[in-house]
Amino acid sequence: MTDAEIRDNADQHRYELPVDGDVAVVTYNLSGHNLMITETLVPEALEGQGIASRLAKHVIADARARGLVILPVCPFFSAYFQKHPEHAEVVHPTYRGILGI
């Protein structure tokens, strides 16, 4: 698997990663330069393989490249940023305060 397999399905407002016949997704709302991450869904059969983290890394890199700031409403993304504060600059300043990063 490569990150090239992750795609932004803008019509459905989600990043998608197909794996073994299933699809892991990160849903979002985009408003101006704000990318609100609302949910991360990994099918049960794919849990424990680091797929959500791969998606998070891809979304963060994509947001940086597009000059977006992330509003991590999704519990997984909130926890990810708390574990990886080195990505704080891509998080909206209000959420940095909320997350303590």
Side-chain angles (χ1 to χ4, degrees):
M1 284 187 293
T2 66
D3 285 346
E5 297 168 352
I6 299 172
R7 74 180 199 106
D8 179 4
N9 182 339
D11 291 339
Q12 293 190 13
H13 306 284
R14 67 189 208 167
Y15 290 88
E16 303 172 335
L17 175 58
V19 180
D20 299 331
D22 284 315
V23 179
V25 301
V26 171
T27 61
Y28 66 84
N29 291 312
L30 180 61
S31 176
H33 293 292
N34 295 315
L35 182 65
M36 180 181 287
I37 304 300
T38 56
E39 194 170 30
T40 301
L41 300 168
V42 176
E44 191 174 338
L46 302 176
E47 289 178 358
Q49 299 179 38
I51 290 172
S53 293
R54 281 188 53 216
L55 281 162
K57 290 174 189 173
H58 179 86
V59 170
I60 291 166
D62 189 48
R64 273 194 189 109
R66 294 168 58 191
L68 304 174
V69 291
I70 294 176
L71 292 77
V73 175
C74 165
F76 175 80
F77 265 76
S78 293
Y80 187 88
F81 283 120
Q82 287 175 317
K83 291 178 187 172
H84 299 279
E86 67 272 16
H87 300 297
E89 81 285 346
V90 77
V91 177
H92 189 281
T94 300
Y95 283 85
R96 283 185 220 153
I98 292 168
L99 298 174
I101 58 172

